[in-house]
Amino acid sequence: MCDKVKPTCSYCQKKDVPCWLPKSEFEVAWRDQNQVASEAVRRRVTARHRLASDKKREQQSTELIRRDSSEVPRVLPQDPEQYALTFFFDTYLRPSTLSNHQRGFFGCVSPALARAAPSSVLWPAINACAQALLEAWSFLNPNAPQSLAPPYYIQAIAAIRRHLQNAEDIDDDVLLATMLLDMYDRIRSFCSARPHKSPHIKGSAAMIENRRNIPITTKTSPSTLLAVRSRIVEDALKNGESIPTNVLTWTPVIQNTPRTAEIELGAINMEVANLQVSAVQLKTPRTAALVPGLLAKAIELDRRLIAWTATIPDEWVPTHIWDLESIPHSIREAGFYGNHCTVHRSIWTADTLNLHCTSRITVGLVILTCLEHVQDSVMDITWMETLTILQSLADTVCASIPFHLGDRTEVRRIDDKNIQYPQIGENLTPDEHYVAAAAFGGIFLMHRFVELLKLAPFLRPGQLPWILGQMGRIKKIYMS
């Protein structure tokens, strides 16, 4: 600031600028006011810009800053929509390098997008799902008021409603959009530790029932129908519900589809779900009359599930690692049950095999319940043999945990290649497993653990608290 020393103040002399201080009272009265006014305007504009910049930074810190972590940047990029889509495509829709690799309904999304119009209902559904996943991985709770995902979710629902109100055919885009919205709801339920109700899947089943044209419209239509069916069956098994009658009518539509191991297991599990519901009646006065029929059906389904293992591709057979010294200490410390672990072809095949185990456990529990109502020493032996099998199946699921989670015990980047996984000999962990295991491993395991808890009274000593501990580990990894 000018110190008003004449003829030239020391401040202006030091800054090498003309001193603005008038030299006389005449200059005070008659000097050019333009320079003074311009300087005042410049100062006001600068102050406004600084205030706006401060408010913008404060808003970003409120909406986008995540919890402290050395592994993940503190703020999201300035274009969260584009970044969310890139993250979703690179992580969840990344093409697999494995041949004949099945990825559930995710395998149907990319082909559908390739032919989808800009106005397709798929786009807002994908935006909602992608934004929720990005926020979950950035630990910006998708349930928070600041979440950017809900507007896309609302847009997707509105687009589906318009599609139905216009009496347009229910094509693959609509069905896949409902699957994506179901995934959005699952993400929010998982992040808030709330049960998931699956309204969108029930809506998908109703839309398929009312489909006006022949459902097979594209090469991916059968896969889309099977993906919806798979989700319906899985929810029915988890919630103890029967399979809707209309789902059983889809069989003729997809009968020309190649009968893969996943399709065959899904067909068996429809009957397993209905058996589970029927078994509830064993607690009623009609138990004695129901036992023979339910026991025969349960034994038949168990035999079919055992036979299913002979139909899986050779590359699906897991490798058992018994040499504990070859398994990194960090993996054993994080979560290792028993004296071995398994390595699978992919996270998807591992989950399919675990689903097979939990399906057999569901059937086995019905067998145990029926045998409890049969007074026969031979049946007592069968009861013990069945229990041993069920405990072995639980061990099999537990042995796959290192393959799903590695030594991950806390928040880490989704593509962190410092995570250690069990390896077969000198074979390195495939690059795609680092992302796939992080993206899906914990979610898949949590579903299987819920099924294992049905076996809680019959688990081996100490196994139940160990499983509960691993469920807590998953929550810490994904929800901390």
Side-chain angles (χ1 to χ4, degrees):
M1 180 178 291
C2 180
D3 57 13
K4 302 181 181 182
V5 176
K6 298 181 179 180
T8 301
C9 73
S10 57
Y11 178 85
C12 297
Q13 188 175 13
K14 180 178 179 181
K15 293 294 184 180
D16 194 24
V17 296
C19 183
W20 62 272
L21 183 69
K23 303 300 187 292
S24 66
E25 293 181 3
F26 179 83
E27 287 184 61
V28 172
W30 298 99
R31 64 181 174 168
D32 183 5
Q33 296 296 316
N34 290 335
Q35 181 179 358
V36 176
S38 298
E39 181 65 21
V41 170
R42 186 191 65 77
R43 289 196 299 269
R44 288 198 297 271
V45 170
T46 301
R48 282 201 302 268
H49 287 171
R50 183 181 298 110
L51 179 61
S53 178
D54 290 342
K55 287 184 176 180
K56 184 176 181 180
R57 281 195 297 269
E58 182 181 356
Q59 182 181 17
Q60 289 176 342
S61 66
T62 301
E63 296 182 358
L64 299 179
I65 289 183
R66 47 150 290 146
R67 295 185 179 91
D68 289 336
S69 171
S70 60
E71 299 292 340
V72 185
R74 285 184 58 80
V75 296
L76 297 179
Q78 296 304 307
D79 186 358
E81 177 181 326
Q82 190 61 40
Y83 188 78
L85 286 174
T86 302
F87 171 79
F88 184 67
F89 287 122
D90 286 350
T91 305
Y92 288 85
L93 298 184
R94 176 185 294 188
S96 175
T97 59
L98 301 173
S99 60
N100 300 320
H101 188 46
Q102 304 294 325
R103 302 179 68 245
F105 91 94
F106 288 97
C108 305
V109 175
S110 293
L113 280 177
R115 60 175 181 272
S119 59
S120 170
V121 297
L122 263 181
W123 288 110
I126 282 180
N127 275 321
C129 197
Q131 192 66 54
L133 282 168
L134 176 63
E135 291 176 355
W137 272 104
S138 300
F139 299 92
L140 309 168
N141 192 339
N143 296 291
Q146 298 89 352
S147 172
L148 303 179
Y152 296 115
Y153 179 78
I154 295 171
Q155 290 173 24
I157 292 178
I160 293 174
R161 284 179 177 173
R162 286 194 301 270
H163 192 96
L164 298 177
Q165 289 170 353
N166 295 335
E168 298 181 48
D169 289 329
I170 300 169
D171 55 14
D172 293 347
D173 287 12
V174 176
L175 291 177
L176 288 173
T178 59
M179 295 283 285
L180 287 163
L181 293 182
D182 176 73
M183 183 177 181
Y184 170 89
D185 284 347
R186 288 172 185 269
I187 296 165
R188 296 191 64 184
S189 298
F190 184 82
C191 290
S192 59
R194 297 196 313 263
H196 176 58
K197 301 299 182 182
S198 307
H200 295 296
I201 294 302
K202 291 180 173 62
S204 298
M207 286 191 292
I208 292 173
E209 176 69 12
N210 296 321
R211 209 164 179 170
R212 282 169 288 281
N213 287 340
I214 298 175
I216 302 299
T217 57
T218 68
K219 291 183 178 179
T220 58
S221 291
S223 299
T224 303
L225 288 173
L226 288 167
V228 175
R229 188 185 78 171
S230 176
R231 187 60 60 82
I232 291 172
V233 172
E234 183 169 331
D235 286 347
L237 286 169
K238 181 183 69 175
N239 301 324
E241 301 170 345
S242 59
I243 301 296
T245 304
N246 64 312
V247 176
L248 302 176
T249 65
W250 299 355
T251 303
V253 177
I254 59 178
Q255 61 186 358
N256 295 325
T257 305
R259 308 298 291 181
T260 63
E262 295 95 331
I263 293 177
E264 295 294 344
L265 182 59
I268 298 173
N269 276 340
M270 286 196 294
E271 298 183 54
V272 172
N274 289 334
L275 173 71
Q276 182 179 231
V277 173
S278 299
V280 174
Q281 301 178 54
L282 292 175
K283 300 178 181 179
T284 67
R286 298 179 58 227
T287 296
L290 294 172
V291 166
L294 287 175
L295 182 58
K297 182 62 176 178
I299 292 174
E300 178 215 340
L301 285 175
D302 192 51
R303 288 172 177 169
R304 287 168 60 187
L305 286 168
I306 294 173
W308 177 85
T309 59
T311 68
I312 65 174
D314 292 341
E315 60 267 23
W316 279 34
V317 178
T319 300
H320 295 256
I321 301 179
W322 298 91
D323 181 12
L324 296 183
E325 296 301 321
S326 66
I327 299 172
H329 180 73
S330 58
I331 293 178
R332 286 179 279 158
E333 285 292 314
F336 200 89
Y337 185 82
N339 54 4
H340 80 290
C341 67
T342 51
V343 176
H344 299 258
R345 183 174 188 251
S346 73
I347 204 73
W348 294 90
T349 56
D351 185 60
T352 303
L353 293 175
N354 281 345
L355 173 60
H356 170 261
C357 288
T358 55
S359 297
R360 285 199 66 194
I361 287 174
T362 299
V363 173
L365 286 173
V366 175
I367 293 175
L368 288 182
T369 304
C370 289
L371 292 177
E372 289 173 353
H373 296 281
V374 178
Q375 302 298 325
D376 190 323
S377 58
V378 175
M379 292 302 180
D380 291 342
I381 298 175
T382 304
W383 193 94
M384 290 302 301
E385 291 175 345
T386 302
L387 176 60
T388 301
I389 292 172
L390 296 186
Q391 291 176 336
S392 176
L393 291 168
D395 294 343
T396 299
V397 176
C398 293
S400 71
I401 290 176
F403 180 77
H404 285 78
L405 301 179
D407 62 356
R408 190 187 294 260
T409 58
E410 59 185 3
V411 176
R412 303 289 286 271
R413 286 181 60 95
I414 193 170
D415 58 350
D416 190 348
K417 293 187 178 180
N418 292 318
I419 303 297
Q420 291 189 301
Y421 293 94
Q423 299 173 190
I424 304 173
E426 299 298 324
N427 296 328
L428 299 178
T429 301
D431 287 345
E432 67 181 84
H433 184 68
Y434 287 102
V435 174
F440 300 102
I443 305 297
F444 286 170
L445 276 181
M446 193 64 88
H447 291 162
R448 305 304 157 227
F449 283 156
V450 170
E451 295 299 308
L452 288 186
L453 292 181
K454 297 177 181 178
L455 191 60
F458 306 108
L459 291 171
R460 301 185 193 279
Q463 193 168 20
L464 177 59
W466 186 86
I467 290 174
L468 293 175
Q470 291 302 302
M471 294 177 75
R473 173 189 173 190
I474 293 173
K475 291 180 181 178
K476 184 177 179 182
I477 293 172
Y478 291 93
M479 299 164 60
S480 294

